[in-house]
Structure formats: structure tokens, C-alpha cells
Amino acid sequence: MNKIVIIGAGQAAAQAVATLRAEAYAGALTLIGDEPFPPYQRPPLSKAYLSGDFARDRLFLRPESFYVESQCTMVLGRRAVKIDRAAKRVHLEDGSDLPYDRLLLATGARVRTLPLRGAGLAGVHYLRGIADVDAIRAHLAPGVRLAVVGGGYIGLEVAAVAVKRGVDVTVIEAADRVMVRAVTPPMSAFYEQAHRSAGVKFLLNATAQAFEGSSSVTGVVTNAGNVAADVVLIGVGIVPNQEIAADAGLQCNNGIVVDEYAVTSDPDIFAAGDCTNHPAFAGGRVRLESVQNAIDQAKHAALGMVGRPSAYHEVPWFWSDQYDLKLQIAGLAKPDDLVVMRGDPASRKFAAFHLREGVVAAVEAVNAAPEYIAGRRLIAARARVTPERLADPSIPARSLG
Ligand code: FAD
């Protein structure tokens, strides 16, 4: 067992390289990435890198010397196009191929595109990689009209950066509230208000139907009226990069299906990060889009690849930075959870705990690190805490449960 190949050079891949070498894997190690960069962190792309507060160099997860010292062969700017499972070889787009004993799929996800009229006009952007941000940032000047299609994390983070730069921002959202997939209604209402106070306009219950313009975009047509725009950012979710796995006959279902050890339906092929569909912490299956998942699942995948399988049961967590508001979420909320508010949203420092059958299942915390940390601990312990205790600010968060 002396040849490991990793397809995809992102967050999960970088972690897998580190864990494999830390676990004394001494065989050959090759990383194949289709972007021209070594693995980099994406969260700052819609935050400090977009605002210009974060230099490009700081995006890279590890210095080049790390890959040299890890004796990891980097094949960058080239796409893996096929896995031949019978011959155990990975084929690249340039016709070359590489043998593997064990393979890690860390292919991440790509943006969900909107196949609407005018989507190819100049000024219509998506955001997933460094090049996307470099293109968008150039437009963010005072007075420019930006239409953000999709009021999720990425759309709202971009809106926050843009409005601070004097850009005239309108967010177009199909649902009746923002961040609908990620947070509870009170949290959506709080964030919508925070953005409105900063000058962002919203068109809710509005679906983009086309983009207007002859060569460059001039507006967005929606079912609830038109929005004039000089630039458009579309942030309507991502789709897992699973095709290379599906074509090789691996089981896929909204992500590459893996077990709790990050093993696919082929015992020599592992997968980690945004591309996977895996057993969820609280039961069922889930596809997560987060740094935590990429890092933790890659660690478990690497352990399995060196013959020390260990099950992935970490509590999921996520964060978002908008203005001076740090949103930290742990656990996976469900619509039927009992939501207990702690603290006053008007203070811009509060939390919403989720109880499921009396057990703490999730926490959403705004500028409330102690509540978030306590929430993570309580979720991991599957602790029972009464709503009264959770809501009582006189009980320190660390003493809850
Ligand atoms: P990726 O980092 O996407 O890496 C996968 C890599 O594989 C990509 O470079 C891809 O091009 C490459 N690849 C795919 N197919 C092939 C192939 N066939 N051959 C070669 N290479 C291939 N998460 C948080 O937790 N908090 C945040 O605040 C947050 N903010 C975000 C902001 C933005 C703008 C974005 C885009 C993401 C954000 N995320 C955030 C999500 C987080 O960045 C991802 O969950 C994480 O990057 C997933 O890591 P990954 O390794 O699975 O995939």
C-alpha cells in the first residue's frame, strides 16, 4: 500500500496530506487540482479578501515548503477526468495517468448556475474561487448598483462588504426570509434588519427570471419587478462535484455516498468534504458545505487510508461574518425544534438554542462566543437542559447543562 492519490486540491485535500504524514504514512502521495493554486481557504473570499483586508498570500492553507517537506507531488492546473477502478489508475485531462493503491476524492462543489436568458452577459458573476473575487472586486465602487441573487450566506456576506464600500445593493431572494436554509426565522429577521440599517434593499419572494442588457448586464427581471443593476452576483447554492465518482460506478446521491469512515462503495476509494453525502451527527444522512466538515472528515479518511479507521462523529459547526456580527452555528437545526432565545437581539449579542425532545440539538449565536462554545459542548454530550435555564442570562453559559 504505497501510492495514495488525492483528487481535488482544496480544504479537505490539504488536511488529508497533513494527517497522512502525521500518521507516518511513508508512501508516495500525489495531489491533483484543477485550479492553478495550491489549496486555499474559501471563507475569506466573500469576507476579508473581497473587502481588500486580506492579502492573497494569506489565503493559502500551507506554505509551499509544507508540500515539499511532506513529499507531496503537486499536479496543479490539471483536471482528473476518469477513474479506472479495475486498473486502479486516475486519468488526467492531458492524457496522462497515475496509479493508486488508495484514492481520496476531495473534489468539493461548484456553484449552482442559473440557466436564464442573459446569464452570460458581462457583469454577471458567481463566487467560488479566487479568480471570481478578483473579477467582482473590480466593480465594487461607490454608486455602482449591485443586484445579489440569493439571500444566503455568500450573497449576504458580499452585500455587507459592498454596501460598506458605497455600493447600492439590492438582494433578490426567492423565499420570504434570508438565510432560509441555514437559520431560524428570528435570526433571519435580525439579519435582514441589520442589512437594511446598513442600506441594503431587499426584494423577497422574488425569483430572478432573466438578466437584461445587450453586452453588459443592466438589470434583473424578477416575478416581483425589475431591479436595475450594473453588476450581478448570483449565490444560489452549490452542487457536489460527484461526476467523476458516478462515472466510475461509485454510489452517489446528492454527493458521493460514504460511510462514517469516509469510505465510498469501493473500499479503496475514500471521499471527504463538500462532495460527500455521509451519516449525520444526529442521525440520517447529510451533505455539508463547511470547513469543519472538510477538515474533520479528511482526518478520518486519512486515518482509514493508513489502516487505522476511526468513525466521524464530530458536531458540525459553521460561521458567517457580516458587518460587526459574527454568527456561529453548531449542530443541525430542524424545523420542528423548540427554539429558545437567550439575550436580546437589539443588543446585537444573543443566541438561539434548539431543543429536540428536550436535548440540545443546535445553537445559533450572534457575537455570543460563550453560548456557542457551551452549545457545542451540550450538543456533543446530547445534554438535556430546560428551556428556562437556557433562556436565563443570569446563569453563565459555561454553567448550562
Ligand atoms: P474545495 O475547497 O471546493 O476544494 C475542491 C477542489 O477540487 C477545488 O479546487 C476543485 O476545483 C477541485 N476539483 C474538483 N474536481 C476536480 C477534478 N476532477 N480534478 C482536479 N481537481 C478537481 N465554510 C465555512 O465553514 N465557513 C464560512 O464562513 C465559509 N465561507 C465560504 C465562503 C465562500 C465564498 C465559499 C465559496 C465557501 C465558503 N465556505 C465556508 C465553505 C468552505 O469553503 C467549503 O466547505 C470548503 O472549501 C470545502 O472544502 P473541500 O476541500 O471539500 O472543497
Side-chain angles (χ1 to χ4, degrees):
M1 200 60 66
N2 56 7
K3 286 185 288 302
I4 289 180
V5 172
I6 302 175
I7 302 180
Q11 187 89 46
Q15 183 58 52
V17 171
T19 304
L20 284 167
R21 289 311 190 200
E23 293 295 321
Y25 168 66
L29 184 53
T30 305
L31 193 55
I32 306 168
D34 59 2
E35 292 187 79
F37 308 108
Y40 61 92
Q41 40 173 340
R42 296 182 195 277
L45 294 182
S46 48
K47 309 175 180 78
Y49 183 63
L50 179 65
S51 70
D53 295 333
F54 206 87
R56 181 187 280 203
D57 283 357
R58 290 179 60 196
L59 293 175
F60 297 106
L61 287 161
R62 305 271 179 166
E64 269 177 44
S65 56
F66 165 79
Y67 301 100
V68 175
E69 283 156 20
S70 302
Q71 297 189 307
C72 177
T73 305
M74 307 288 275
V75 180
L76 298 178
R78 267 189 283 168
R79 192 167 178 73
V81 290
K82 186 182 164 201
I83 302 163
D84 181 342
R85 287 168 56 200
K88 291 192 138 183
R89 298 188 85 85
V90 176
H91 293 260
L92 277 65
E93 60 185 346
D94 61 3
S96 61
D97 65 315
L98 286 166
Y100 69 84
D101 294 304
R102 289 207 159 149
L103 182 63
L104 175 64
L105 303 177
T107 50
R110 60 184 181 275
V111 293
R112 183 184 300 284
T113 53
L114 286 182
L116 300 177
R117 177 169 54 81
L121 288 166
V124 177
H125 296 272
Y126 293 91
L127 203 176
R128 181 74 190 172
I130 290 177
D132 298 327
V133 187
D134 293 346
I136 296 163
R137 201 199 288 115
H139 293 286
L140 300 187
V144 167
R145 295 165 305 175
L146 166 68
V148 175
V149 179
Y153 284 124
I154 288 180
L156 292 187
E157 289 181 352
V158 171
V161 170
V163 81
K164 272 168 78 178
R165 289 173 74 135
V167 174
D168 177 356
V169 184
T170 304
V171 174
I172 299 165
E173 166 56 49
D176 59 358
R177 61 184 180 94
V178 298
M179 296 195 285
V180 68
R181 284 195 308 136
V183 301
T184 42
M187 205 55 82
S188 293
F190 171 79
Y191 270 88
E192 182 187 329
Q193 192 46 49
H195 280 274
R196 284 191 189 275
S197 310
V200 174
K201 290 169 273 186
F202 286 89
L203 203 57
L204 300 176
N205 300 303
T207 311
Q209 296 180 327
F211 301 101
E212 289 178 317
S214 49
S215 58
S216 296
V217 71
T218 56
V220 185
V221 180
T222 86
N223 61 329
N226 294 1
V227 176
D230 308 303
V231 58
V232 171
L233 174 82
I234 303 175
V236 293
I238 57 175
V239 288
N241 289 324
Q242 64 184 33
E243 290 75 6
I244 193 167
D247 291 348
L250 299 177
Q251 196 188 341
C252 293
N253 178 12
N254 181 28
I256 303 167
V257 172
V258 294
D259 64 13
E260 58 194 335
Y261 300 97
V263 181
T264 68
S265 47
D266 179 329
D268 292 324
I269 305 183
F270 295 66
D274 282 11
C275 64
T276 69
N277 178 318
H278 59 92
F281 171 80
R285 299 189 68 89
V286 71
R287 181 173 63 75
L288 295 175
E289 304 165 1
S290 71
V291 166
Q292 170 275 323
N293 178 59
I295 290 177
D296 286 336
Q297 201 176 28
K299 285 182 188 167
H300 290 278
L303 286 167
M305 293 178 100
V306 296
R308 282 193 284 286
S310 138
Y312 170 33
H313 288 311
E314 279 84 340
V315 173
W317 52 265
F318 199 88
W319 79 95
S320 175
D321 297 327
Q322 298 168 41
Y323 310 105
D324 60 338
L325 303 169
K326 177 165 276 299
L327 173 63
Q328 293 171 292
I329 297 178
L332 298 177
K334 289 192 177 169
D336 292 340
D337 292 345
L338 174 67
V339 178
V340 181
M341 300 300 288
R342 178 183 169 96
D344 181 3
S347 69
R348 293 170 85 83
K349 193 175 167 177
F350 65 104
F353 285 94
H354 294 238
L355 288 173
R356 199 171 303 148
E357 293 170 9
V359 174
V360 181
V363 61
E364 302 160 72
V366 176
N367 292 340
E371 276 72 11
Y372 165 70
I373 292 164
R376 262 175 78 170
R377 177 176 52 77
L378 295 168
I379 297 163
R382 300 177 201 270
R384 290 183 172 276
V385 188
T386 63
E388 293 72 27
R389 280 183 71 78
L390 289 172
D392 184 349
S394 72
I395 303 172
R398 63 175 183 283
S399 306
L400 291 168

